[in-house]
Amino acid sequence: MTLTKKATISDVAKLAKVGKTSVSRYLNGEFKVLSEDIQRRIKLAIETLDYKPSRLASGMKKGRTKLIALVFADLSISYAMEIMRGVETACRENDYTLLVFNANNESEQEKKILQLLTSYQVEGVIIQALRTHDHNFYDFNLPMVSIDRAIHGCETDLVHLDNIQATKLAVTHLIENAFEQVLFITEKIEDIQARQQRSETFYQLMQSYPQCKGEIIEVLDISQPQQIDPILQAFYQSGQGKKQAILAVNGVATLNTALALKRLNIEWGRDIGLIGFDDPNWAAVLGDGITTIRQPTLDIGYCAFELLLKRIQGDRSKFKTVLYPGELIVRKSTIL
Amino acid sequence: MTLTKKATISDVAKLAKVGKTSVSRYLNGEFKVLSEDIQRRIKLAIETLDYKPSRLASGMKKGRTKLIALVFADLSISYAMEIMRGVETACRENDYTLLVFNANNESEQEKKILQLLTSYQVEGVIIQALRTHDHNFYDFNLPMVSIDRAIHGCETDLVHLDNIQATKLAVTHLIENAFEQVLFITEKIEDIQARQQRSETFYQLMQSYPQCKGEIIEVLDISQPQQIDPILQAFYQSGQGKKQAILAVNGVATLNTALALKRLNIEWGRDIGLIGFDDPNWAAVLGDGITTIRQPTLDIGYCAFELLLKRIQGDRSKFKTVLYPGELIVRKSTIL
DNA sequence: CTGTTAGCGCCTTCAG
DNA sequence: CTGAAGGCGCTAACAG
């Protein structure tokens, strides 16, 4: 219930009748160089004063703020949230604190954020970059690890889903279930690595299965019915009794595809197959469940932090790319 | 591409051939007290040195770190995410930076977090407290606004859904649609305010409608089928031709209720009515859509920040509670 | 208008 | 083992 000013290290020192240095040492766990007696007195003083060391001050002095930043291209997708949970968990376990930023899909914003980071002397950054950026990442002298996408012209550790393996999983599943015509539907690919890899892998894999025809459609705004409905309709009508499926590039695409199918009165799991990347919590309950390829998002976030921590601690080894395998979650939507 | 040490205010001052004070003033926008000439020189120096002021240092000096904290009881629910987006947006617009914490439903953790906050000298806190806490919030001398739940023994500004109005919305809708038996299903209420208010309001409202029988069921772990399935089954069987509906206390409850109904082969929108608080993105696509009461989550987050900012800026007025009205989103699940 | 002087709270020599 | 002195980068008086 201290209404008094916040206690400082000097207050503690005074009360414990020791030098500030000893208190500082105590705070930093250098117990071997402190007599039992002094430790006890300091401990007591700290408790009675309810003293909390200022990380600002110590951070300024040592340059170690115990702050890391997490920068998202778009915070509004549930995927970002899941990643964040992983990072947050790792932070908590390692006594780091998380600054969260949302570039909001604006390059200008992303740039500003990066500036801010140096202002706060964060020790490192985990970033899901906005495509291949236009501003310079490379004059950015901070430990950094990327998630999802490599940053052009700026080598970093990188962690993301093994898109090739994951796509293979999806395609194999479709082939095994005797689908004869598959539409890969994706948002504007731009230079977003996951979308590129998934669509390319899809394209290449389909070559090896003559019994099944693959097709890729890139939609500008996947949430616009007028853009997506006719495409799906046309695809469906082109089926002519063939067994058809749709593969959606991510959670958003899956949801919007499902919505469109509803509007068109095409039922997945009966009229058509549906499978999507990401495994949002609603996937199990849409219709009789939608088959998905799940990403280990928590692990990805956690791993990103671990890589970052190593860099912060001085790891100078070659940049790593950590790929996490996807997991196929089979549900009714692909069992026609 | 500066590989050289980070520039400091002194470097700028030296290069611009002015005093540090002038640079400081420049940085703080006190242009009226600076000659054009000096301003120009400073500007130039800052640019050539790529100087970025350290918020740590200035924060330490002025006590204004431009940092605020957002503390969640549970970061894993999508509701938290949406709130966060609102807060983040407000932060961005006001040049504040967001520290995000997850108490992870552990009181111990929440306590630690609060400690940390003072370490970083955050200027304020937005908190979704863990129930009525066991540790002391009130010796916590920081601007603070709560979301969702009031904090027992610690008055703060508070912003959340108008649960009374929202519940009324739901009940009225059900009555208007001639339901005769309604089950309110909720997770363990404990002392979580939203759950209390919703269930109590439900209970009271039902008194005024003799034509409709209300019932409240509190489930310990709503995601456990063995806990929820038999309850729903029993309720359904007790119907005897009456028009029945289920009202779920939040998004999680809605989802789990839907899952259970699926398992029990009871179809919402046909066999039974279903309506839930919160409006998660999947609500529109579960079955033919689930009727919901939507919370303006973005606004709630945004508003929380605004209230906090006022407090930070010295507002000492009486504590406010801001209630946001819910919005009824009618879908097929309540149109039998 | 401008610069000098003290610190903010802490950590790091460097002598005891 | 311990403490005094100096300084991290910045700002707030106080002089000029």
Side-chain angles (χ1 to χ4, degrees):
Chain A
M1 186 75 273
T2 48
L3 286 178
T4 59
K5 285 292 287 183
K6 256 185 55 183
T8 83
I9 201 173
S10 304
D11 301 327
V12 176
K14 214 168 293 166
L15 184 65
K17 298 197 193 313
V18 297
K20 300 196 293 180
T21 316
S22 295
V23 180
S24 175
R25 287 187 180 120
Y26 179 87
L27 294 174
N28 291 291
E30 300 170 35
F31 300 121
K32 324 142 222 219
V33 272
L34 291 174
S35 69
E36 290 267 314
D37 179 47
I38 276 202
Q39 287 188 40
R40 223 187 316 280
R41 271 148 59 201
I42 293 179
K43 181 153 184 276
L44 185 68
I46 287 181
E47 277 160 9
T48 64
L49 291 174
D50 189 35
Y51 164 72
K52 310 272 184 336
S54 156
R55 293 213 180 189
L56 285 204
S58 84
M60 199 168 122
K61 197 67 213 170
K62 318 198 274 198
R64 314 216 61 217
T65 53
K66 290 288 203 170
L67 245 29
I68 72 147
L70 181 56
V71 184
F72 282 110
D74 183 354
L75 193 50
S76 70
I77 55 177
S78 69
Y79 173 77
M81 180 58 160
E82 291 169 30
I83 295 286
M84 187 172 109
R85 283 184 55 213
V87 176
E88 201 276 342
T89 305
C91 277
R92 193 144 27 91
E93 290 174 7
N94 291 279
D95 191 31
Y96 270 77
T97 293
L98 191 57
L99 300 183
V100 174
F101 298 91
N102 178 11
N104 209 20
N105 285 317
E106 296 159 33
S107 174
E108 200 43 49
Q109 197 53 49
E110 189 180 58
K111 190 169 175 181
K112 270 193 201 148
I113 291 169
L114 294 184
Q115 309 248 342
L116 247 193
L117 298 191
T118 78
S119 267
Y120 281 115
Q121 291 195 200
V122 304
E123 295 183 31
V125 193
I126 297 175
I127 185 168
Q128 179 199 38
L130 275 178
R131 68 212 89 244
T132 306
H133 49 284
D134 13 20
H135 51 279
N136 299 334
F137 269 87
Y138 43 79
D139 68 348
F140 196 65
N141 231 2
L142 218 61
M144 181 147 106
V145 0
S146 313
I147 49 185
D148 286 8
R149 356 185 185 292
I151 300 177
H152 182 82
C154 169
E155 250 198 314
T156 64
D157 286 323
L158 174 60
V159 30
H160 61 81
L161 177 71
D162 183 342
N163 286 300
I164 312 224
Q165 172 267 358
T167 307
K168 208 170 280 181
L169 224 47
V171 169
T172 309
H173 174 69
L174 292 175
I175 295 297
E176 282 173 0
N177 283 274
F179 284 95
E180 299 159 287
Q181 202 184 354
V182 179
L183 177 67
F184 182 96
I185 189 160
T186 171
E187 298 181 82
K188 192 102 185 56
I189 293 179
E190 306 188 71
D191 49 359
I192 294 177
Q193 187 169 329
R195 298 179 196 168
Q196 284 173 349
Q197 292 187 341
R198 291 171 196 176
S199 57
E200 264 175 40
T201 307
F202 172 78
Y203 180 79
Q204 280 166 22
L205 281 177
M206 291 314 281
Q207 309 298 322
S208 19
Y209 299 109
Q211 73 272 36
C212 183
K213 187 170 157 244
E215 204 173 322
I216 297 179
I217 282 289
E218 198 177 336
V219 188
L220 248 135
D221 183 350
I222 210 153
S223 67
Q224 294 296 316
Q226 61 271 36
Q227 290 193 28
I228 181 172
D229 288 16
I231 291 172
L232 296 183
Q233 177 113 55
F235 174 69
Y236 186 58
Q237 279 163 358
S238 77
Q240 310 288 16
K242 286 215 210 95
K243 199 171 173 189
Q244 296 181 302
I246 297 170
L247 171 56
V249 76
N250 58 29
V252 175
T254 308
L255 186 61
N256 284 297
T257 300
L259 284 167
L261 291 176
K262 274 219 163 138
R263 282 189 298 265
L264 298 169
N265 210 17
I266 304 171
E267 190 178 317
W268 61 84
R270 193 193 63 188
D271 307 327
I272 201 169
L274 178 58
I275 177 171
F277 285 89
D278 295 345
D279 183 51
N281 55 2
W282 42 259
V285 275
L286 278 200
D288 292 320
I290 294 179
T291 299
T292 59
I293 298 110
R294 177 184 292 164
Q295 297 195 43
T297 44
L298 247 64
D299 299 302
I300 291 176
Y302 201 97
C303 169
F305 178 86
E306 284 183 323
L307 288 175
L308 185 61
L309 187 56
K310 277 206 199 110
R311 295 294 171 190
I312 289 172
Q313 291 169 345
D315 180 5
R316 292 271 165 283
S317 62
K318 246 182 64 200
F319 290 112
K320 285 178 262 302
T321 293
V322 178
L323 261 33
Y324 275 89
E327 181 190 357
L328 180 72
I329 312 286
V330 179
R331 301 200 182 90
K332 299 280 180 60
S333 70
T334 48
I335 311 298
L336 270 52
Chain B
M1 187 75 269
T2 48
L3 286 179
T4 58
K5 285 293 285 185
K6 256 186 54 184
T8 84
I9 201 173
S10 304
D11 300 328
V12 176
K14 213 168 293 167
L15 184 65
K17 298 195 193 312
V18 297
K20 299 195 296 180
T21 316
S22 295
V23 181
S24 175
R25 286 187 180 121
Y26 179 87
L27 294 174
N28 291 292
E30 300 169 36
F31 301 121
K32 323 140 223 224
V33 274
L34 290 175
S35 69
E36 290 267 314
D37 179 47
I38 276 200
Q39 286 188 41
R40 222 186 318 279
R41 271 148 58 201
I42 294 179
K43 181 153 186 276
L44 186 69
I46 288 181
E47 277 160 7
T48 62
L49 291 174
D50 189 32
Y51 165 71
K52 309 270 186 334
S54 155
R55 293 213 181 190
L56 286 204
S58 88
M60 199 167 122
K61 193 70 209 164
K62 317 199 273 195
R64 314 215 63 218
T65 52
K66 290 288 202 172
L67 245 28
I68 73 148
L70 181 55
V71 185
F72 282 110
D74 184 354
L75 193 51
S76 70
I77 55 177
S78 68
Y79 174 77
M81 179 58 161
E82 290 169 30
I83 296 286
M84 187 171 108
R85 282 184 54 214
V87 176
E88 201 276 342
T89 305
C91 277
R92 193 145 25 93
E93 289 173 7
N94 291 279
D95 191 30
Y96 270 77
T97 293
L98 191 56
L99 300 183
V100 175
F101 297 91
N102 177 12
N104 209 20
N105 284 317
E106 296 159 32
S107 174
E108 200 42 49
Q109 198 53 49
E110 189 180 58
K111 190 169 176 180
K112 270 194 202 147
I113 291 169
L114 295 183
Q115 308 247 344
L116 247 193
L117 298 191
T118 77
S119 268
Y120 281 115
Q121 290 194 203
V122 304
E123 295 183 32
V125 192
I126 298 175
I127 184 167
Q128 179 198 37
L130 276 177
R131 70 212 89 243
T132 306
H133 46 285
D134 14 18
H135 50 280
N136 298 334
F137 270 88
Y138 44 78
D139 68 349
F140 197 64
N141 232 2
L142 219 62
M144 179 146 109
V145 0
S146 314
I147 50 185
D148 286 8
R149 355 187 185 292
I151 300 178
H152 182 80
C154 170
E155 249 197 316
T156 64
D157 287 322
L158 174 60
V159 30
H160 61 80
L161 177 70
D162 183 341
N163 286 300
I164 312 225
Q165 173 267 359
T167 308
K168 208 171 281 182
L169 224 48
V171 169
T172 309
H173 174 70
L174 292 175
I175 296 297
E176 282 173 359
N177 283 274
F179 284 94
E180 300 160 287
Q181 201 184 353
V182 179
L183 176 68
F184 182 96
I185 189 160
T186 171
E187 298 181 81
K188 193 102 185 57
I189 293 179
E190 304 189 70
D191 49 359
I192 293 175
Q193 187 168 331
R195 297 179 197 170
Q196 284 174 348
Q197 292 187 340
R198 291 171 195 177
S199 57
E200 264 174 41
T201 308
F202 172 78
Y203 179 79
Q204 280 165 21
L205 280 177
M206 291 313 281
Q207 309 298 321
S208 19
Y209 300 108
Q211 72 272 35
C212 182
K213 185 168 158 245
E215 205 172 320
I216 297 179
I217 282 289
E218 198 178 335
V219 189
L220 248 136
D221 184 350
I222 210 153
S223 67
Q224 293 296 315
Q226 61 272 36
Q227 290 192 28
I228 181 172
D229 289 16
I231 291 173
L232 295 183
Q233 177 114 53
F235 175 70
Y236 185 60
Q237 278 163 359
S238 76
Q240 310 288 16
K242 287 216 209 92
K243 200 172 171 189
Q244 297 180 299
I246 297 170
L247 172 56
V249 75
N250 58 28
V252 176
T254 308
L255 187 61
N256 284 297
T257 301
L259 285 167
L261 290 176
K262 274 218 165 141
R263 283 188 298 265
L264 298 169
N265 210 20
I266 304 171
E267 191 178 318
W268 61 84
R270 194 193 63 187
D271 307 326
I272 201 169
L274 178 57
I275 175 171
F277 287 88
D278 296 345
D279 183 51
N281 54 3
W282 42 260
V285 276
L286 278 201
D288 293 320
I290 293 179
T291 300
T292 60
I293 297 109
R294 177 185 292 164
Q295 298 195 45
T297 43
L298 247 64
D299 299 299
I300 291 176
Y302 201 98
C303 169
F305 179 86
E306 284 182 324
L307 288 175
L308 185 61
L309 187 55
K310 277 206 199 108
R311 294 295 172 191
I312 288 172
Q313 292 168 345
D315 181 4
R316 291 270 165 284
S317 63
K318 248 183 63 203
F319 290 112
K320 285 178 261 304
T321 294
V322 178
L323 262 32
Y324 275 90
E327 180 190 359
L328 180 72
I329 312 286
V330 179
R331 299 201 183 89
K332 299 280 179 61
S333 70
T334 49
I335 311 299
L336 271 53

